[in-house]
Amino acid sequence: MAGDIRIDIQPLKGGDADGLAQLRVAAHEGGLPARLGAGAVAAYFRAAAADPDTFGFVARAGGAPVGYVLCTTAAVRLQRAAVRSNASLWLRGAAIALRDPAFLRAAGSRLASIIRPNQAALATGIEPSLRLLDIAVAADARQHGVGRALMQAAVQKAHDLGHPEIGLSVMADNGAALRLYERFGFAPGARYMRPDGATVQTMRLALGPPAASSAF
């Protein structure tokens, strides 16, 4: 039970892709995912479900997805796989770019970060190898503990897999997300600027060693 709605947390599966794509598009209304469409975003979730170095959880209420979280040690490979597997992404992006030069700049910046990630941040240890890549909650399910339940599942899984820490990047002006991560013990780290000029705050959470399993 989370808040006043019953939440069921289950591991991410390939069959969740279409429902989660709709959720992500709605959560980023007016943003890049919404402009590209749910079909393009679904390729991202299918790639995540199939990737051996990625895990995620889906929150459901009454059988419908109301949130998700994704963690990975292969963020660049995952994003590249989603881009390569979806030819319609390029066609739709090109059509939008012809009408909206600002979209072209935003998409170009995003593709540049996928092709050439922030190597300086990685080299100096700003970004731990395991990243909390994405988390979203449907608007009508917020303030019911869904985000907290997803974070608990992700942190526990990371701990069980033996990861020493988990890191994330969040927009520096996203106060709600910053407060959620701080409640889970994530400590703020360095900041850096994206090619589009937005400021990103890095955070990390140290995890203890996994519990030793008993042999019988």
Side-chain angles (χ1 to χ4, degrees):
M1 195 76 173
D4 57 356
I5 59 176
R6 184 173 295 280
I7 302 299
D8 182 32
I9 305 292
Q10 294 292 333
L12 172 71
K13 298 178 182 177
D16 296 318
D18 290 334
L20 295 186
Q22 295 287 348
L23 191 157
R24 190 170 198 254
V25 166
H28 294 78
E29 184 177 357
L32 190 58
R35 301 292 299 276
L36 292 175
V41 178
Y44 170 72
F45 288 106
R46 282 191 288 270
D51 190 274
D53 298 312
T54 301
F55 64 85
F57 293 93
V58 178
R60 295 182 179 277
V66 295
Y68 68 86
V69 62
L70 289 177
C71 297
T72 187
T73 59
V76 173
R77 186 183 73 215
L78 174 61
Q79 292 167 336
R80 285 175 178 169
V83 169
R84 285 197 306 267
S85 68
N86 191 1
S88 66
L89 171 66
W90 299 99
L91 297 175
R92 184 172 177 81
I96 296 172
L98 289 174
R99 301 191 303 270
D100 186 354
F103 172 83
L104 181 60
R105 290 193 296 272
S109 172
R110 185 64 185 135
L111 286 173
S113 70
I114 292 173
I115 295 169
R116 188 175 60 256
N118 191 309
Q119 297 296 338
L122 295 173
T124 55
I126 291 174
E127 306 273 3
S129 60
L130 179 66
R131 291 176 49 74
L132 194 155
L133 188 62
D134 196 10
I135 183 170
V137 176
D140 58 359
R142 292 170 189 167
Q143 306 301 318
H144 292 288
V146 178
R148 183 172 64 251
L150 288 166
M151 286 290 295
Q152 288 172 338
V155 169
Q156 185 62 54
K157 179 69 172 181
H159 178 272
D160 292 345
L161 290 173
H163 291 285
E165 58 185 343
I166 182 171
L168 58 86
S169 299
V170 60
M171 301 302 294
D173 61 356
N174 190 341
L178 289 167
R179 288 190 293 273
L180 173 65
Y181 300 140
E182 288 170 351
R183 284 199 297 271
F184 271 84
F186 281 83
R191 291 188 174 195
Y192 64 87
M193 187 173 292
R194 294 194 322 198
D196 61 3
T199 301
V200 175
Q201 174 71 62
T202 66
M203 306 184 80
R204 64 202 306 159
L205 173 68
L207 303 171
S213 58
S214 300
F216 294 97

